[in-house]
Amino acid sequence: YRSVPVFAVTDETGSSPYFTDETPSKEPAGFFFMERRDAERILKAVRKEDPKARITTVPFTEALNFVRTKTLNFGGEFHVLPSAREISNANNIRRIAKDSPFIKIEKKLQSKDAYDRIPLFYDEKLGSVIDGEP
């Protein structure tokens, strides 16, 4: 996960991710996105307030440091958000398997529904074997 890129909407220096939403408890919430296109949607809204805002690519490990750090250090909470495509794929796989949805979507996905819930996909054909063990 050290080389997995995630995307954040930041100030022009790339060092300060923006808070772009609120948590259910009304704390400011900022996000790291698994796909650039999701960050681009948020960037459009942020640029109305800061025309110099940009998308910054950071390693997943750095994003996790923001997520795990107490809110007092930053003035809000940070979360990793899965892409809408990942959620749709995960829900489709679970529906085929007759399981409950990965994330239940009533009408429109709200960011709070997906905080830090990243679906991972595994295919046994892609596994490796070391010393006879998968």
Side-chain angles (χ1 to χ4, degrees), residues 55-90:
I55 294 175
T56 301
T57 305
V58 298
F60 189 52
T61 53
E62 189 174 322
L64 288 178
N65 287 337
F66 274 88
V67 170
R68 292 176 179 152
T69 301
K70 299 285 185 202
T71 59
L72 297 175
N73 293 356
F74 300 115
E77 295 180 7
F78 286 98
H79 299 277
V80 177
L81 282 184
S83 71
R85 186 173 56 97
E86 289 172 325
I87 293 170
S88 176
N89 289 341

Side-chain angles (χ1 to χ4, degrees), residues 27-125:
E27 290 287 327
F31 302 100
F32 293 93
F33 301 91
M34 298 303 291
E35 289 192 8
R36 184 178 179 92
R37 77 177 106 193
D38 294 322
E40 288 169 352
R41 279 193 352 252
I42 300 300
L43 178 63
K44 288 179 186 176
V46 171
R47 279 198 170 150
K48 292 176 184 172
E49 300 293 323
D50 177 5
K52 294 182 180 181
R54 68 185 187 122
I55 294 175
T56 301
T57 305
V58 298
F60 189 52
T61 53
E62 189 174 322
L64 288 178
N65 287 337
F66 274 88
V67 170
R68 292 176 179 152
T69 301
K70 299 285 185 202
T71 59
L72 297 175
N73 293 356
F74 300 115
E77 295 180 7
F78 286 98
H79 299 277
V80 177
L81 282 184
S83 71
R85 186 173 56 97
E86 289 172 325
I87 293 170
S88 176
N89 289 341
N91 283 345
N92 287 337
I93 289 169
R94 292 182 65 95
R95 188 180 73 246
I96 291 167
K98 298 186 177 16
D99 288 334
S100 61
F102 177 74
I103 295 175
K104 191 172 181 179
I105 303 171
E106 296 295 332
K107 293 182 181 176
K108 182 179 175 190
L109 178 68
Q110 301 293 315
S111 57
K112 67 182 180 314
D113 299 330
Y115 283 177
D116 309 322
R117 298 191 66 195
I118 309 301
L120 298 176
F121 301 95
Y122 170 77
D123 186 336
E124 290 182 6
K125 293 180 234 171

